[in-house]
Amino acid sequence: MNPPHQALRGFRDILPDEVDRWQFLERVCREVFERYGFREIRTPLLESTELFCRSVGESTDIVRKEMYTFERGEESFTLRPESTASVVRAFVEHSLHRGVASGYPEKLYYIGPMFRYERPQKGRQRQFHQIGVEILGASEPMVDAETLEMLWSFLDEIGVTDRELLLGSVGDTECRPAYRARLMAWLEPRIGELCADCRRRYRENPLRILDCKVEADRRVVADAPTMLGDLCGSCTDHFTSVRASLDRFGIPYRIDPRMVRGLDYYQRTVFEVLASGLGSQNAILGGGRYDGLVETLGGPPIPGFGFAIGMERLLSLVPQDRGRKSETDVLVVALGPAGWEGAVDVVRRLRRAGIRALAPVRERPMGAQLKRADRLGARFALFVGADEIDSGRFGLKDLSSGEQVALEERAVIERIAERLR
Ligand code: HAM
């Protein structure tokens, strides 16, 4: 049992010291994605269980074992294990496809928590966060490549440069049934060597066997036929065009002929980005094309493409110095009782002028106040005492250069604003 004074296993607090870096990721992704015409969408954390069964797939590990599901009255609810299903549900529910009919795809992004009941370990939580994008209404291979180019640009800007793009194709409703039959025929004489889960998968969804984590099973399927070898003409053309555009953009990739992904809605392009230094949970993101999903969820036949990044895994790779903020820009140093009285007004006016400023809440020796300025990473100390209040000129010390000047309050504000720019 989880003790009540501790967060649940696999759930964690994000403390103020870490939040700077989270906000940095959020800020950069908004900036980059909006440059490419994406708009944010926010969907509820709770959805009907049926939504994920239909989209992610009944035979996936996510739906079979990992969902936080509960009943209320006659209904079953699930905390979202991912967001593609929710975004497509919202797209259909609010008829956003009407806009898409005019030839311009809907480009959406989201940031938020997801929930999966997995065994917690390094890089794997039960509540984790994703940054994701979904493009609805375009099947062109250039869309796949351009979205990956955006992703590359985002990873460059946050300083995650040690990464590898794995690319594959899982075919479509045209070519997958024939491949499935070929794979089943190949597996049949080997069923006895597979784990119990895979023996069930053989009946329900044999492609999932290629994704089994059991080492012995992985050895058995190492030589299995691959989807990539069985693609139909139009899937081959699509894949070739995606690769040509990636080459044109200078984005390196490695082909993974047996990439399966853990969700059933994919068609054609699939991909993951791996990073070293993360141990066994080394996928920082995954995604692909899901051309049949809008229809599965009750909409018209509209294609889709997207990816989702695991924020915790990504953050562990962002260089330590990125995104750190000081706690304030100016520390007002109050000198004596008059200074302490006056500091309350000075700090208020600095804040009104848009400057991050702090003053002591009780009288403290000057040395202690300056130590605090250092601890908070303040760029300036502003001295406020009886003399300064009488003369209207305050001592402003630039703590990075040591330079100190006496200025009127208006000039103080101008100088700080200028130096912080
Ligand atoms: P996914 O591969 O299930 O895809 O998850 C994407 C990423 O979320 C993973 O690569 C990983 O970084 C992170 N992640 C997943 N589970 C955990 C966990 N338990 N703890 C920490 N991080 C985790 C999707 O979710 C699809 N919706 C992606 C997509 C969007 N496909 C098309 N559009």
Side-chain angles (χ1 to χ4, degrees), residues 152 163-167 246-247 249-255:
W152 238 232
R163 65 218 169 179
E164 183 181 31
L165 173 62
L166 294 189
L167 190 68
L246 288 175
D247 293 340
F249 296 147
I251 296 175
Y253 55 83
R254 180 156 63 86
I255 301 290

Side-chain angles (χ1 to χ4, degrees), residues 162-166 254 272-276 282-285:
D162 188 6
R163 65 218 169 179
E164 183 181 31
L165 173 62
L166 294 189
R254 180 156 63 86
E272 288 184 352
V273 172
L274 309 184
S276 49
N282 61 349
I284 48 175
L285 63 95

